[in-house]
Amino acid sequence: MDIFEYQYSKQKEHNAPLAAKIRPTTLEDFVGQNAILGKNTTLYNAIINDTLTSLILYGPTGTGKTTLAKIIANTTKSAFVVLNATAAGVKDIREIVQEAKNRITMHNRKTTVFIDEIHRFNKAQQDTLLPYVEEGTITIIGATTENPFFEVNRALLSRSMVFTFETLSEGDIKKILERAVVYLRHSGKEVTVDEDALNFLAEISGGDARYALNGLEMAILQGSTINVKNLQEILQRPITYDKAGDGHYNTISAFIKSMRGSDPQAAVFYLSRMLKAGEDPRFVARRMIIAASEDIGNADPQALLVATAAAQAVEHVGMPECRIVLAQAATYLATAPKSNAAYMAINTATEDADKPITIPPYLKGKTFYDNPPQYKYPHSYPNGYVPQQYLPQELEGKMYYQPKDIGYERKIKSYLENIKNIGASK
């Protein structure tokens, strides 16, 4: 490293955001994700014992995926190479693979490649990785905010262990913020941060440590005394959106119950309150998808399509325009006919799911019998229906789904009653 590279390196370290400066370097200092990183878990032991296979780390932003990758770099004996999927191409991958082969040949040293935003790799790029992962030339650690089962090559996925990162709890976020305050004071900054301010930041962060730390850093740039009021001014988050008032969970609850109660006025009000407070519109959209099935169901099957389309639109459009899409979907759900029959059906069926049962032999695949019992093919009969026992004998007569006389479910109920009468007459 020459003098210019050294100066750049020092300046880069000085200018790094607070989140990068306090990033932990050991598993002991890592905060959160206890389900997958607690002591004696599979992933913890693999890192400690340097026996990692390829990994896919999947979860929201600010939950520790990149931090864990850097901890692995500090813990294992492998060479560690960083590749950003938004900028790298097939040529870059081949160069890294050749370097990995040289390390194995010359130093008998493995190479781990960290690929941030691996979902942005196209099929050709992912296919380029596959043979080298399979033969052990490289081990990959892919980080993604998108569901890897949809976005990552199936063959590559089958050669990797997938670990799901959850949003951090408010307690985890507060612990990280407290560490940041200690770091700042040790660095010579005289800062005073109210306990309420830490609680406020932890609450509005939505489980994203990076957001919380950036908020703290922004506040410190404005002054050395941090309280809820100046955080509110800097982050533009209304103070009424905390747990002491009607808060995050109370407001989303009121929103859902307003839609369930067919009150579009209240639904739009609570929606606007959440969005103005800076709530993640994706969180709101996900809850609307659930409501579309739980509270409306087959009374209006279109409701699920509307809610799902709104969620997709939120991803493509973003704020502030996506608030219009959410308002359209919320008013549709609020004014749709309501039925919880599907919700009750799956709950009731789940109670029986673990019971020992015998599937009727004519419903099994043909490979189970030389001369399988005769299955009656419904399309061979008038109206596409023929009476036949589908439930296991042990559950005969059970009623899980009971449609209501509301909306489209009225037609479903009528259809089921009609075919029941056909069965009774034969």
Side-chain angles (χ1 to χ4, degrees):
M1 183 183 292
D2 62 27
I3 184 69
F4 298 105
E5 289 176 324
Y6 175 77
Q7 288 296 339
Y8 171 75
S9 175
K10 297 301 290 182
Q11 197 65 28
K12 182 180 177 183
E13 183 179 333
H14 175 74
N15 292 333
L18 183 59
K21 289 177 180 176
I22 70 158
R23 177 169 276 149
T25 56
T26 66
L27 280 175
E28 286 67 29
D29 290 334
F30 190 90
V31 177
Q33 312 305 335
N34 291 329
I36 59 174
L37 275 175
K39 286 194 174 181
N40 295 321
T41 58
T42 300
L43 183 54
Y44 179 91
N45 289 335
I47 295 171
I48 293 298
N49 297 323
D50 201 5
T51 56
L52 279 174
T53 58
S54 290
L55 308 174
I56 303 292
L57 309 179
Y58 161 51
T61 58
T63 53
K65 301 185 296 296
T66 302
T67 295
L68 180 62
K70 291 184 180 295
I71 288 173
I72 291 171
N74 293 331
T75 306
T76 67
K77 297 176 182 176
S78 299
F80 197 83
V81 180
V82 177
L83 197 61
N84 192 306
T86 59
V90 171
K91 180 174 177 289
D92 300 293
I93 295 171
R94 287 178 175 153
E95 288 176 357
I96 287 171
V97 167
Q98 187 56 54
E99 291 169 2
K101 288 179 177 179
N102 293 341
R103 286 190 194 95
I104 293 172
T105 303
M106 299 173 64
H107 308 291
N108 194 27
R109 190 184 184 196
K110 296 186 293 185
T111 299
T112 297
V113 182
F114 174 59
I115 307 173
D116 198 13
E117 299 189 86
I118 191 172
H119 60 275
R120 293 183 180 271
F121 263 180
N122 60 34
K123 187 177 185 301
Q125 291 167 312
Q126 293 187 31
D127 285 345
T128 303
L129 286 169
L130 186 59
Y132 306 111
V133 171
E134 192 168 30
E135 69 189 20
T137 302
I138 59 173
T139 298
I140 65 165
I141 300 175
T144 176
T145 56
E146 302 293 328
N147 190 329
F149 294 99
F150 296 117
E151 302 295 338
V152 177
N153 180 312
R154 187 179 295 274
L156 192 60
L157 201 61
S158 71
R159 290 159 178 80
S160 308
M161 295 183 69
V162 178
F163 291 94
T164 302
F165 280 54
E166 303 293 340
T167 53
L168 297 173
S169 70
E170 290 181 20
D172 290 335
I173 298 290
K174 187 175 179 182
K175 186 175 181 179
I176 292 168
L177 289 170
E178 288 170 342
R179 285 186 180 179
V181 172
V182 171
Y183 167 84
L184 290 167
R185 288 171 179 163
H186 285 172
S187 301
K189 290 188 179 293
E190 295 184 4
V191 294
T192 301
V193 185
D194 292 351
E195 186 79 8
D196 287 345
L198 292 178
N199 291 334
F200 179 71
L201 261 180
E203 184 179 344
I204 67 170
S205 67
D208 183 336
R210 190 181 297 111
Y211 176 89
L213 289 167
N214 288 346
L216 178 63
E217 189 168 28
M218 286 173 63
I220 289 169
L221 290 174
Q222 306 298 319
S224 59
T225 301
I226 313 302
N227 53 42
V228 173
K229 184 178 180 181
N230 54 34
L231 278 175
Q232 180 195 4
E233 292 172 354
I234 292 165
L235 301 176
Q236 297 296 300
R237 297 290 182 102
I239 194 168
T240 52
Y241 200 66
D242 64 10
K243 282 189 174 177
D246 56 357
H248 167 81
Y249 294 107
N250 288 339
T251 309
I252 192 66
S253 176
F255 173 62
I256 296 298
K257 288 172 182 173
S258 296
M259 290 191 298
R260 182 184 297 148
S262 299
D263 188 336
Q265 321 308 334
V268 169
F269 168 73
Y270 290 118
L271 173 63
S272 66
R273 191 173 181 84
M274 287 187 290
L275 295 179
K276 189 172 182 181
E279 182 62 83
D280 185 345
R282 294 173 298 179
F283 168 73
V284 178
R286 287 194 296 268
R287 295 304 300 266
M288 290 169 70
I289 291 174
I290 296 167
S293 283
E294 180 179 344
D295 295 316
I296 298 169
N298 289 327
D300 182 357
Q302 189 76 13
L304 180 57
L305 300 181
V306 169
T308 303
Q312 292 174 339
V314 165
E315 294 289 348
H316 288 292
V317 177
M319 285 291 284
E321 289 84 359
C322 76
R323 77 192 195 285
I324 307 167
V325 177
L326 292 174
Q328 178 189 348
T331 51
Y332 186 97
L333 299 188
T335 55
K338 305 298 189 295
S339 173
N340 67 345
Y343 172 67
M344 298 302 294
I346 190 63
N347 286 348
T348 310
T350 300
E351 295 173 6
D352 289 336
D354 292 330
K355 293 180 179 178
I357 55 98
T358 303
I359 296 175
Y362 47 84
L363 296 183
K364 295 181 179 180
K366 291 183 179 180
T367 55
F368 285 89
Y369 297 93
D370 293 329
N371 296 298
Q374 186 61 45
Y375 163 64
K376 297 176 183 177
Y377 186 56
H379 297 294
S380 298
Y381 295 83
N383 302 313
Y385 173 76
V386 60
Q388 189 168 215
Q389 175 69 29
Y390 291 97
L391 272 173
Q393 191 69 33
E394 299 86 346
L395 299 175
E396 185 177 357
K398 274 277 191 175
M399 296 293 292
Y400 297 115
Y401 178 53
Q402 301 187 53
K404 298 183 179 182
D405 200 20
I406 301 171
Y408 185 78
E409 258 189 351
R410 183 183 293 113
K411 293 184 178 181
I412 296 174
K413 183 178 180 180
S414 176
Y415 171 75
L416 292 176
E417 288 173 349
N418 287 339
I419 63 173
K420 184 179 179 181
N421 292 334
I422 292 173
S425 65
K426 292 194 176 184

